[in-house]
Amino acid sequence: MGSPTLRRALLLLPTAFLRTSLPAAPGTYLPLDHPQVTTNFACRAKVYGALPKPRCQQKSWEGPALSVPTLALSTVQLCPHKCQPCVRVRLALNATGIEGLELHFLVLNSNRSVRLQVLRRNKRRAGTDTLWQLQFDCFTAESGQWVFVWLETLPSRMLVLNQSLQVINERSGPKFHYTWMPADRVIEVSVPEGPNVTARLCHQLALECEELHPPFHKQALVSRHQPAVLPYEYLLPCLCIEASYEHLDSQRKKKCPFQDQPEAYGPELWSSTQIEDYSTSDMAQMAMSVHGRCLLYPNASLCWKDSAALEATCSDIPNSTATRSDQIYTLEEVDVHPRLCFKFSYSNSSHVACPRRTDPAWNVSLSVNFLQIHLHLHSRVPASFSSALCQQQPPLGQCVPEPPVYTITHPEGQGPWDLDLILPWRISRSCVLVWRSDVRFSGKQLLCPDISRKHWGLLAFGLGLGLGLLVGVILLIRWGLHGFHRDTLGRGHSRPILLIYSPDSEEHKQLVCAFAALLHSALCCPVLLDLWELGHVGRLGILPWMYAQREHVSQEQGQVLVLWSAGSAHAYGLWQGKARAAPRLAPEPHDLFGAAMACLQGELRGTSGAARQSDWVIAYFSKLCGRRDIPQALRYLPRYRLPQELPGLVRVLQGPSSSTPSWFHASAKSLVHRLLRAEKKKGPRSWPHQPRRKATDRRAGSLFPLARPKVRMPNCT
């Protein structure tokens, strides 16, 4: 029949699968180097088998009393040197008539058995202690083994208890499996054979796994027969599954399966991220903070959106990486604009975040006149703006800027300001790029004229089919001759023109810009104007810039064209007064006109003055001044009345073989008429140097300065 121990084990085999073990008590790590028995009575212990003899000590019972009878098993860690799992036994029974008890241990995997006897030391007090409580620490076993324990009383079998337990090494945490279900946005967690497990989803940060936000902070109980389904809000690389046993101080085990999944770095990564904008246009600084569910540090650089639409493409700006301090990204010298954005990049994904302010620090509008593009800029911060013509390329939709670059500056220390910039318009496909040029990083705004509002085709169609055909043929012939003339000039040597003027008023500056644009379009020659190169002038200074351009004109056999006006005579008088006050030293010029007069005076005094003075030419508009407004000292220079003597001026500027386009004469007249209308609307005090006039002179439209008490209309022939 076999040994008694084996027979008892066979009787206990059906209980091996019942798993009626109780959860382990708190304090699952035992710093013991020898087994021990703790009882509430005086005891002595005996061991039969491969187990060191335990110490038996009497100790008052701590914690709540166990119910009678109880045999409880739990897994704890025995750590004298190297931690290993072992079985702790706790029991409670009625000791009436009992002298001792016997515990039997059997390991199913290895058929290892041990017998432990605990006897009462003082048999005389056998009837006094009716309740025995005992704890044995502990019986070692390998992780995963089944241990069977049964209890017999001595000397007779008054009570028999049995229990079983599967030993689990809790230092490695519970074992579990997961299944990702992306369609349902859930993760299913299951466990193999063993005790129940508590599972949850969390976001792994630097030191802890943070609980998901409600209502996704669910903790579920997982057993071998019942898996748990855990929903998640965002699929993130830091989304982890954490599991632990039910009892206190259980070792936790964690798996983060999405760190290498490309799907975890998609749009949901940025949807779960909060980006705050702290950009300020007054300080020209872009600043944004990034706070996400995951502890990530993306790279940030600038990009420019093609349009204000959310789905618009954002083109990268080279060498514009932002600096990071904690979670805040900053970049200096930036034109803070709603279309100039930060592009955050992490792993294989990116996200564009733009400043939340919808009102930029500056804006620009465009209007088209005859062969001119007028840019109207409004800025509330001191800044410089540049613009250049470009032609769109249909396949790619890009517009590459073409020289020259025109620059204008909003003075510092002043409030909101309106600035105007006039550019020549060559062909109908021309567009304009405008950008802020006093900062390192800015986006170029593209503006294209809308010529559909001119209704040129409707007007020609209204004249009739026959007349329209005739006009069309004439226009084609005329434009063909004009194109041939421009090509001829382009193939020849184009002489540069340095344009000098006196800053009488803002309207007069617009006239100068428009006249320079006409010269550039009609003669196909470079026109050097400080209003188009304010950024370059600001860096060099007006006097070095003036002398550099004068030297360039001399080397290229060009001309210095002085556009004389009513204010020029007054400015020349002021300059000449300073020159007489210091005859040995020329006065220091503070504007272009003074610098030009100083340059001319220096050439006249030098040895090469006679050879170089032929480079200077004076032109004036007959509606604005006359020949007598030109000082006596400058009347030896060639003088041309505009627009009557425009052909002669063109021959001097570009050579005897050059000719003047017919539209150039009409455009010059139109410019002067527009200036006179603007001045008339502003009133008689609009010009800073305009004298008082009689009523008859006002009706006649005279604009020359007051030299004597009685003023007569100047002779402009």
Short mmCIF file of all heavy atoms in Angstrom, two decimals, residues 577-602:
data_model
loop_
_atom_site.label_atom_id
_atom_site.label_comp_id
_atom_site.label_asym_id
_atom_site.label_seq_id
_atom_site.Cartn_x
_atom_site.Cartn_y
_atom_site.Cartn_z
N GLY A 577 24.76 128.28 -46.93
CA GLY A 577 25.06 129.11 -45.77
C GLY A 577 26.02 128.41 -44.83
O GLY A 577 26.94 129.02 -44.27
N LYS A 578 25.84 127.12 -44.62
CA LYS A 578 26.77 126.38 -43.79
C LYS A 578 28.14 126.30 -44.43
O LYS A 578 29.17 126.34 -43.76
CB LYS A 578 26.23 124.97 -43.53
CG LYS A 578 24.95 124.95 -42.73
CD LYS A 578 24.47 123.53 -42.51
CE LYS A 578 23.18 123.50 -41.71
NZ LYS A 578 22.70 122.10 -41.51
N ALA A 579 28.17 126.18 -45.75
CA ALA A 579 29.46 126.11 -46.43
C ALA A 579 30.23 127.42 -46.31
O ALA A 579 31.44 127.42 -46.14
CB ALA A 579 29.25 125.74 -47.90
N ARG A 580 29.52 128.57 -46.36
CA ARG A 580 30.21 129.86 -46.23
C ARG A 580 30.68 130.08 -44.80
O ARG A 580 31.68 130.74 -44.57
CB ARG A 580 29.26 130.97 -46.66
CG ARG A 580 28.97 130.98 -48.16
CD ARG A 580 27.95 132.03 -48.52
NE ARG A 580 27.68 132.04 -49.96
CZ ARG A 580 26.75 132.79 -50.53
NH1 ARG A 580 25.98 133.59 -49.76
NH2 ARG A 580 26.57 132.74 -51.83
N ALA A 581 29.92 129.55 -43.84
CA ALA A 581 30.35 129.71 -42.45
C ALA A 581 31.64 128.97 -42.19
O ALA A 581 32.43 129.35 -41.32
CB ALA A 581 29.25 129.21 -41.51
N ALA A 582 31.90 127.91 -42.90
CA ALA A 582 33.15 127.15 -42.74
C ALA A 582 33.74 126.92 -44.12
O ALA A 582 33.58 125.87 -44.72
CB ALA A 582 32.89 125.81 -42.05
N PRO A 583 34.39 127.97 -44.70
CA PRO A 583 34.85 127.87 -46.09
C PRO A 583 35.93 126.82 -46.28
O PRO A 583 36.05 126.24 -47.35
CB PRO A 583 35.37 129.27 -46.39
CG PRO A 583 35.72 129.83 -45.05
CD PRO A 583 34.74 129.25 -44.08
N ARG A 584 36.73 126.57 -45.27
CA ARG A 584 37.80 125.59 -45.44
C ARG A 584 37.30 124.15 -45.32
O ARG A 584 37.87 123.25 -45.89
CB ARG A 584 38.90 125.84 -44.39
CG ARG A 584 39.60 127.19 -44.57
CD ARG A 584 40.73 127.32 -43.57
NE ARG A 584 41.42 128.60 -43.72
CZ ARG A 584 42.47 128.97 -42.98
NH1 ARG A 584 42.92 128.14 -42.04
NH2 ARG A 584 43.04 130.13 -43.19
N LEU A 585 36.27 123.96 -44.53
CA LEU A 585 35.72 122.62 -44.31
C LEU A 585 34.30 122.58 -44.85
O LEU A 585 33.48 123.43 -44.51
CB LEU A 585 35.73 122.25 -42.82
CG LEU A 585 37.11 122.22 -42.16
CD1 LEU A 585 36.95 121.97 -40.66
CD2 LEU A 585 38.01 121.16 -42.80
N ALA A 586 34.01 121.61 -45.66
CA ALA A 586 32.66 121.46 -46.19
C ALA A 586 31.72 121.04 -45.06
O ALA A 586 32.11 120.27 -44.19
CB ALA A 586 32.64 120.43 -47.31
N PRO A 587 30.50 121.53 -45.05
CA PRO A 587 29.57 121.14 -43.97
C PRO A 587 29.25 119.65 -44.05
O PRO A 587 29.20 119.06 -45.12
CB PRO A 587 28.33 121.99 -44.26
CG PRO A 587 28.39 122.24 -45.73
CD PRO A 587 29.86 122.39 -46.06
N GLU A 588 29.03 119.07 -42.90
CA GLU A 588 28.71 117.65 -42.84
C GLU A 588 27.25 117.44 -43.25
O GLU A 588 26.34 117.95 -42.61
CB GLU A 588 28.92 117.11 -41.43
CG GLU A 588 28.62 115.62 -41.32
CD GLU A 588 28.84 115.11 -39.92
OE1 GLU A 588 29.24 115.92 -39.05
OE2 GLU A 588 28.59 113.91 -39.69
N PRO A 589 26.99 116.70 -44.34
CA PRO A 589 25.62 116.52 -44.80
C PRO A 589 24.90 115.48 -43.96
O PRO A 589 25.49 114.53 -43.49
CB PRO A 589 25.80 116.05 -46.24
CG PRO A 589 27.12 115.35 -46.24
CD PRO A 589 27.97 116.06 -45.23
N HIS A 590 23.61 115.72 -43.79
CA HIS A 590 22.78 114.78 -43.04
C HIS A 590 21.71 114.16 -43.92
O HIS A 590 20.92 113.36 -43.44
CB HIS A 590 22.12 115.47 -41.85
CG HIS A 590 23.12 115.97 -40.84
ND1 HIS A 590 23.74 115.14 -39.93
CD2 HIS A 590 23.61 117.22 -40.63
CE1 HIS A 590 24.56 115.86 -39.17
NE2 HIS A 590 24.50 117.11 -39.57
N ASP A 591 21.62 114.55 -45.20
CA ASP A 591 20.66 113.95 -46.10
C ASP A 591 21.31 113.78 -47.46
O ASP A 591 22.46 114.16 -47.69
CB ASP A 591 19.39 114.81 -46.20
CG ASP A 591 19.70 116.25 -46.63
OD1 ASP A 591 20.87 116.54 -46.96
OD2 ASP A 591 18.77 117.07 -46.62
N LEU A 592 20.57 113.17 -48.38
CA LEU A 592 21.12 112.88 -49.70
C LEU A 592 21.45 114.16 -50.45
O LEU A 592 22.50 114.24 -51.11
CB LEU A 592 20.11 112.03 -50.48
CG LEU A 592 20.50 111.72 -51.92
CD1 LEU A 592 21.72 110.83 -51.96
CD2 LEU A 592 19.35 111.07 -52.67
N PHE A 593 20.59 115.17 -50.37
CA PHE A 593 20.81 116.40 -51.13
C PHE A 593 22.09 117.11 -50.67
O PHE A 593 22.91 117.53 -51.48
CB PHE A 593 19.60 117.33 -50.97
CG PHE A 593 19.66 118.55 -51.85
CD1 PHE A 593 19.29 118.49 -53.18
CD2 PHE A 593 20.09 119.77 -51.35
CE1 PHE A 593 19.34 119.61 -53.99
CE2 PHE A 593 20.14 120.89 -52.15
CZ PHE A 593 19.77 120.82 -53.48
N GLY A 594 22.26 117.22 -49.35
CA GLY A 594 23.48 117.85 -48.85
C GLY A 594 24.71 117.05 -49.22
O GLY A 594 25.78 117.62 -49.54
N ALA A 595 24.62 115.70 -49.17
CA ALA A 595 25.77 114.88 -49.55
C ALA A 595 26.10 115.06 -51.02
O ALA A 595 27.29 115.10 -51.40
CB ALA A 595 25.46 113.41 -49.25
N ALA A 596 25.07 115.19 -51.87
CA ALA A 596 25.32 115.39 -53.30
C ALA A 596 25.98 116.75 -53.56
O ALA A 596 26.91 116.86 -54.37
CB ALA A 596 24.02 115.26 -54.07
N MET A 597 25.51 117.80 -52.89
CA MET A 597 26.12 119.10 -53.09
C MET A 597 27.57 119.11 -52.61
O MET A 597 28.45 119.73 -53.23
CB MET A 597 25.31 120.17 -52.34
CG MET A 597 23.89 120.37 -52.87
SD MET A 597 23.82 120.88 -54.62
CE MET A 597 23.36 119.33 -55.42
N ALA A 598 27.84 118.43 -51.49
CA ALA A 598 29.22 118.34 -51.02
C ALA A 598 30.09 117.57 -52.00
O ALA A 598 31.25 117.93 -52.24
CB ALA A 598 29.24 117.66 -49.64
N CYS A 599 29.53 116.52 -52.59
CA CYS A 599 30.27 115.75 -53.59
C CYS A 599 30.56 116.59 -54.82
O CYS A 599 31.67 116.59 -55.36
CB CYS A 599 29.48 114.49 -53.95
SG CYS A 599 30.27 113.45 -55.19
N LEU A 600 29.55 117.36 -55.29
CA LEU A 600 29.74 118.21 -56.47
C LEU A 600 30.77 119.30 -56.20
O LEU A 600 31.64 119.59 -57.04
CB LEU A 600 28.39 118.82 -56.88
CG LEU A 600 28.42 119.78 -58.07
CD1 LEU A 600 28.95 119.09 -59.32
CD2 LEU A 600 27.02 120.32 -58.33
N GLN A 601 30.70 119.92 -55.02
CA GLN A 601 31.68 120.95 -54.69
C GLN A 601 33.10 120.38 -54.63
O GLN A 601 34.06 121.00 -55.06
CB GLN A 601 31.31 121.58 -53.35
CG GLN A 601 32.19 122.78 -52.97
CD GLN A 601 31.82 123.35 -51.62
OE1 GLN A 601 31.55 122.60 -50.70
NE2 GLN A 601 31.82 124.66 -51.52
N GLY A 602 33.24 119.15 -54.09
CA GLY A 602 34.55 118.52 -54.04
C GLY A 602 35.10 118.23 -55.42
O GLY A 602 36.31 118.36 -55.65
#
